[in-house]
Amino acid sequence: MKVMNCPKCGRLFTKIVSPVCPKCERADEEQFQKLRDYLEEYPLSSITEASDATGVSPKRILEYLREGRLQITKGLEGELRCARCGTAIETGNFCDTCNRKFAKELSYDSPSLGPGPSASSSKRSSGMHIYKTKKDYER
């Protein structure tokens, strides 16, 4: 387990999953619930209106959108944009087109990652292997 200072309050805590201390995580969850309750009652609110009514900063509301915890509803298109191409999106960081491009680029068969296993590599077996280092040869 990693001990670190909370980036929000500076308190020392043991990081297990969350990047903030339990106290700040609870406070953030309370803010989110307040925002969520407001948006259930007023689903067509703008980010500014929701922020004014709940006290949750517009920056934090955008972070909730980017995290995928909220989704833009009809009438507010264009408030959130794809980080790669600038297309209007409803949630997350990237549009569907860019997500598909990333998936294709990161796929195992992608030429940008180099060739996959080939029949000519007869010494290689399937699965993982460990490369020997100079230190291994000195033993």
Side-chain angles (χ1 to χ4, degrees), residues 70-134:
L70 293 176
Q71 186 172 359
I72 298 275
T73 57
K74 295 217 182 277
L76 296 180
E77 294 90 352
E79 291 209 29
L80 193 62
R81 301 241 169 228
C82 174
R84 184 176 187 199
C85 70
T87 301
I89 56 176
E90 295 177 349
T91 190
N93 289 304
F94 303 102
C95 66
D96 291 339
T97 303
C98 289
N99 275 329
R100 282 192 297 276
K101 285 180 185 177
F102 286 138
K104 186 177 180 182
E105 290 170 5
L106 294 175
S107 72
Y108 186 73
D109 297 327
S110 175
S112 65
L113 292 177
S118 65
S120 65
S121 59
S122 59
K123 289 186 179 181
R124 251 190 232 172
S125 61
S126 63
M128 296 189 303
H129 64 280
I130 299 171
Y131 287 103
K132 292 195 178 227
T133 63
K134 182 178 177 185

Side-chain angles (χ1 to χ4, degrees), residues 23-78:
K23 186 175 181 179
C24 289
E25 186 175 18
R26 275 190 303 278
D28 185 59
E29 190 58 32
E30 288 171 8
Q31 274 193 326
F32 179 74
Q33 288 303 322
K34 188 181 210 181
L35 178 64
R36 187 173 159 208
D37 292 344
Y38 175 81
L39 291 174
E40 283 179 2
E41 193 170 341
Y42 304 101
L44 296 177
S45 298
S46 70
I47 290 174
T48 306
E49 290 168 341
S51 176
D52 291 344
T54 62
V56 179
S57 72
K59 180 181 175 186
R60 188 62 188 130
I61 294 172
L62 283 172
E63 289 171 1
Y64 290 140
L65 287 162
R66 293 258 181 231
E67 291 168 4
R69 295 179 76 182
L70 293 176
Q71 186 172 359
I72 298 275
T73 57
K74 295 217 182 277
L76 296 180
E77 294 90 352

